[in-house]
Structures are given as structure tokens and as C-alpha cells.
Amino acid sequence: MNINLTLIGQSITFAIFVWFCYAYVWPPLVNALAERKKQISEGLAAAERGQHEQELAEKKAAEHLKEAKGQASEIIVQAQKRASEIVDEAKDDARSEAERIKVGAEAEIKQEINRAREHLRQQVAVLAIAGAEKILKKEVNAEAHAQTLNALAEQL
Amino acid sequence: MSGDTQQTAAEYIKHHLQNMTYGKFPDGHWGLAHDAAEAKAMGFMAIHVDTMFWSIFLGALFLFLFKKVANTATAGVPGGMQNFVEMIVEFVDSSVKGTFSGRNPYVAPMALTIFVWVFLINFMDLMPVDWLPGVAGWIGHNLFGMDPHHVYFKVVPSTDPNATFGMALAVFMLTLYYSFKQKGMIGFVGELTLHPFSSDNKVLQLVFIPINFVLEFVALLAKPLSLSLRLYGNMFAGEMIFILIALMYGGGWLVGAFGGFLQLGWAIFHILIITLQAYIFMTLTIVYMDLAYQTNEDH
């Protein structure tokens, strides 16, 4: 229990230990702790940000979906409209085609009539001449009257 | 009594309370004291080898372990040892941040050193009281040819007032240094003389100054004294009880078994005391450092 040099020795030892702790032990430990604290808070912030972004993305996706649905129904409406237009057009086309065919047929019929009439005319002339020949067998000069009859046939 | 039948109980206790003292004999040569009277005759020019050895050994152990962890400390997932060290560092750091309002990079490392070092020193108290002194006596007898009865070995440095006063003195010097640095000569003297009594009347103030000085000076000196005596007193009393319990082992089977039971109970209770004393020493150091930084005190 005597007070002696141990007192001073202990003070010096204490000072050296404190200095060593201050210089070599404390800073790396505290730095590691601070660094981890920072990393954790950054991680938490990132997680929160991620969650927020996910919410935004979900909202955006829902919007996109809604828009797509709207567009789809619009497209369907347009397609229906277009389809009915096409049907109308086809109807018009068919009608005009039918008209054209009718006109063509009528023209052909007319032509056929003309041809038949021409044919008849010639036959009438031949028949008339043959008839006249039979009637006027002897008195009539076929050549002399043929002209007259032809002129007559012309008037038909 | 560890098989020593020649010793009386009083001798046993005295033997346990005597430090291994290396010093200057009155005739001028240096050497180990053979008994308490010789150690006393050495006066101030002596050193307690056991106290210095154990305090340096334990301090070095603390610094070695913590340095090892500090070398590999990463911000990643900490391992077992790093976790433990970080827990202590965090605890000390929050204590310092909660109490110390100034700016001083030394305070937190000092608090950590005090806490762990004092804890380890106190922890030696939990060692059975005859083990290490027995080993020291054996070594002294067989290697150095000494009488084992003259090999004194106290393993708990904090039961040596030199150790606790030494630490408290270092803390006291630091608080004085920072007090001067923060407040200046005038501020420091003013703190000692202008509180707690002050008056606007110049004459009355002159009367108050010596009264204030006596009060404040005593309060100033009381700080390191109470800091060291608190630790020393607690640990010395604890050690004393362990020694008294150890005496019971010489009293036959029944008393010995009861002694063993008591030792266990006291050791378990002592775990609380050694931790608490280390914590108190650390906290008071922080508080004293904080007081050194208080520039505009209002008493």
C-alpha cells in the first residue's frame, strides 16, 4: 500500500495505451462502423426508391393497358366501318357491272336484230324475185326488173 | 490456505496484500523486498513489479485484440470477434457523444481504453486468489531459489492504489491541460475564485475570493481522488472478501464446501461490480473532460 514509482509508471503506461488506441485502434473501427451505417442507409433508400419505382411502373402499365384497350376498340370500330364500306362498294361495283353487262347484251341484241333484218331483206328480195319470176315467167325480163326490185328492197 | 500450515490466518492475509516490490534499499542497492517492512523502508524509490506487469500485460492484450480486429474491420457483414468489438466501441462512442459536448479526438479512444483496460484489470479479481501467487511462488522458489514465503504477488492491479491513482492522475492532468487550453489562465483562475459566491460589491467580492478558492480547490482535488479511491476501494474490498473466503478452505470439509459456495456466489456478484466500476471510471473521465470544456459555467 506504499505510494511509490508505480504511480508514475502507471500514468505513463496509461498515456501510452491511450495514445496507441487513439492512433491505431479507434479510427479503423469507427470508420468501419460509419461506413456500414452509410451503406445500410443507402441500401434502405435504394429499396424505398425501388418500391416507389415499382409503384410508378405498375401505374404506368395500367395506363398503357387502358390505352391499348381503347385503341383496340377504336380499331374494331374502324374495321367494322371499313367492312360495311367495303360491302357497300362491292354492291355498287356489282350494280355497275350488271349495268355494263346489260348494256353490252342490249347492244349485241340490237346488232343481232340488224343482222337478222339484213339477212331477211336479202331473202325477201330473193323471194320477191323468185315469186315475180314465177308469176311473170315469160313476160318479164329478169334483168330489167331486178333493178326496180332491188330499189324497192332498199326501202325496207 | 492452500496447504500452507505454517502460516497463520493473519500472515496469509498480509501475504496476499503485499505487492512484489523492486526498489532501492536504504543502503543504496536495488533489489526485491523480502517482506513488508523492507518494502516500506524503500519509500518512493520502488516499483510494484506485479502491478506493472499485469496492467501492462492486460493493456497490451486489449490493444492487441482490438488492433487485430481493427486491421480487418470492414463495412461488410462483421464476424463474431468484430461484432463483439464493435458492440463495445459503439457503446463507448454513444456514451461519449451523450456526455461530452466539446471537440476532442482523444476523449473517445481514452474512454474505450479505460473501459476495457479497467475491466480486464478488475477481471483478474475473479481468478481464485491462490492460483497466480502460487505459480509465482513456485517459479520464484525453483528458478530463482527464493523462499516462496517471500514471493509476493498481487494479481489485481486495481487493488493497488498506485495503479488507480496513476490512471486518475493522468486523467486529472489531461483535464487541467484542456481546462487551461479552453479557458485560458484568467478563465481557469476565475473558475477557481469567482464561484460559488460572487457579488457586485467589489469589497465583498474580495472577501469571497479566498473562500471560493478553498471550496473550489478542494472540489478540484476531490475529482481525481474520488475517481481513483472509488475503484481502489471497491476492488480492494472485493479482493479482501475473496481472501477471507479462501481462508475457509483450511477449516475442514464442511467449512471448505461452504467456502466454495460463498466464493461462487461472491464471484457472480463481483462480475457486476467489476463491470460497473469500469463503466463508472470511464463515465466520470468523460464527465471531467466535459467539465474542462465548459467555458461558461453557471453555478
Side-chain angles (χ1 to χ4, degrees):
Chain A
M1 270 233 261
N2 311 309
I3 295 295
N4 53 30
L5 280 176
T6 314
L7 181 76
I8 292 162
Q10 194 74 12
S11 297
I12 293 166
T13 311
F14 176 80
I16 291 170
F17 283 167
V18 168
W19 171 80
F20 188 88
C21 184
Y22 161 79
Y24 297 109
V25 175
W26 187 259
L29 287 171
V30 167
N31 285 345
L33 284 175
E35 179 73 14
R36 177 160 340 117
K37 209 173 272 178
K38 210 177 105 194
Q39 281 185 1
I40 289 173
S41 69
E42 275 174 2
L44 286 176
E48 204 165 310
R49 210 160 47 233
Q51 211 164 9
H52 188 67
E53 264 165 25
Q54 196 200 354
E55 259 167 42
L56 275 183
E58 268 172 17
K59 210 181 267 178
K60 207 175 258 181
E63 252 167 43
H64 275 309
L65 209 63
K66 208 167 132 192
E67 205 174 299
K69 266 183 194 162
Q71 277 180 347
S73 62
E74 203 173 298
I75 286 169
I76 289 171
V77 167
Q78 273 182 351
Q80 278 172 345
K81 202 168 135 196
R82 181 86 190 112
S84 62
E85 269 175 15
I86 286 171
V87 169
D88 283 351
E89 254 172 49
K91 270 185 193 163
D92 284 351
D93 278 355
R95 205 168 282 141
S96 60
E97 182 69 14
E99 194 70 25
R100 202 171 57 81
I101 289 170
K102 206 173 89 180
V103 169
E106 271 172 1
E108 210 167 308
I109 289 168
K110 205 175 258 173
Q111 215 174 333
E112 204 66 29
I113 288 172
N114 280 346
R115 201 181 295 142
R117 194 174 281 164
E118 193 72 23
H119 195 68
L120 274 176
R121 207 180 278 150
Q122 279 171 1
Q123 295 233 332
V124 165
V126 174
L127 271 178
I129 288 168
E133 240 176 20
K134 270 175 187 165
I135 299 164
L136 305 169
K137 206 130 188 187
K138 289 158 189 146
E139 308 156 48
V140 177
N141 186 352
E143 280 169 30
H145 293 285
Q147 271 180 352
T148 319
L149 285 168
N150 275 346
L152 203 72
E154 212 73 32
Q155 280 168 11
L156 269 167
Chain B
M1 284 222 277
S2 84
D4 248 344
T5 45
Q6 292 98 335
Q7 276 182 318
T8 66
E11 275 170 358
Y12 177 77
I13 293 171
K14 271 187 188 156
H15 190 267
H16 267 288
L17 295 183
Q18 178 60 41
N19 282 103
M20 182 189 278
T21 314
Y22 182 86
K24 193 179 174 188
F25 283 95
D27 66 6
H29 83 279
W30 288 71
L32 280 176
H34 293 295
D35 50 37
E38 277 186 18
K40 206 171 185 68
M42 285 172 179
F44 191 74
M45 291 308 283
I47 194 152
H48 289 159
V49 180
D50 44 6
T51 298
M52 289 310 292
F53 171 76
W54 282 112
S55 54
I56 290 173
F57 173 75
L58 292 168
L61 182 74
F62 147 64
L63 288 175
F64 171 73
L65 285 178
F66 274 54
K67 177 84 182 92
K68 219 174 97 181
V69 171
N71 282 344
T72 54
T74 56
V77 180
M81 189 63 193
Q82 193 187 341
N83 220 342
F84 177 70
V85 166
E86 276 176 5
M87 203 177 74
I88 297 173
V89 168
E90 193 107 82
F91 166 71
V92 171
D93 198 34
S94 65
S95 282
V96 171
K97 277 184 180 139
T99 313
F100 184 69
S101 52
R103 271 184 189 281
N104 189 334
Y106 280 102
V107 170
M110 180 162 75
L112 177 70
T113 309
I114 287 173
F115 182 62
V116 182
W117 193 26
V118 172
F119 175 80
L120 287 174
I121 284 173
N122 291 350
F123 187 83
M124 296 306 290
D125 212 1
L126 295 180
M127 290 277 186
V129 287
D130 282 317
W131 280 13
L132 293 170
V135 170
W138 187 87
I139 291 172
H141 181 64
N142 289 296
L143 297 184
F144 300 103
M146 293 162 74
D147 180 358
H149 286 252
H150 289 163
V151 179
Y152 300 100
F153 206 59
K154 260 176 92 176
V155 294
V156 191
S158 50
T159 59
D160 180 356
N162 284 301
T164 60
F165 271 117
M167 282 188 253
L169 206 63
V171 171
F172 184 58
M173 292 298 181
L174 273 178
T175 57
L176 281 188
Y177 171 72
Y178 283 111
S179 254
F180 269 119
K181 209 176 157 190
Q182 289 296 311
K183 298 159 191 163
M185 190 65 197
I186 295 164
F188 185 72
V189 171
E191 200 177 70
L192 279 178
T193 53
L194 301 179
H195 300 285
F197 303 114
S198 61
S199 169
D200 290 332
N201 187 331
K202 288 264 163 36
V203 181
L204 208 55
Q205 182 65 59
L206 271 177
V207 175
F208 280 151
I209 281 176
I211 301 171
N212 285 336
F213 181 73
V214 169
L215 285 171
E216 286 289 318
F217 194 68
V218 168
L220 187 71
L221 289 185
K223 283 177 190 169
L225 214 60
S226 67
L227 185 63
S228 59
L229 281 180
R230 181 179 296 105
L231 179 60
Y232 163 67
N234 272 284
M235 298 322 295
F236 185 79
E239 177 79 348
M240 196 69 201
I241 290 174
F242 275 123
I243 293 170
L244 291 176
I245 290 170
L247 271 176
M248 297 173 78
Y249 295 134
W253 274 100
L254 203 66
V255 179
F258 184 59
F261 178 71
L262 279 183
Q263 185 179 347
L264 180 68
W266 180 244
I268 291 170
F269 179 62
H270 216 55
I271 294 172
L272 176 70
I273 294 179
I274 61 175
T275 318
L276 198 65
Q277 287 305 320
Y279 176 68
I280 289 173
F281 204 101
M282 176 193 86
T283 307
L284 282 177
T285 302
I286 300 170
V287 168
Y288 292 156
M289 288 300 287
D290 186 50
L291 286 179
Y293 272 76
Q294 299 283 323
T295 42
N296 46 354
E297 266 182 299
D298 289 317
H299 282 280

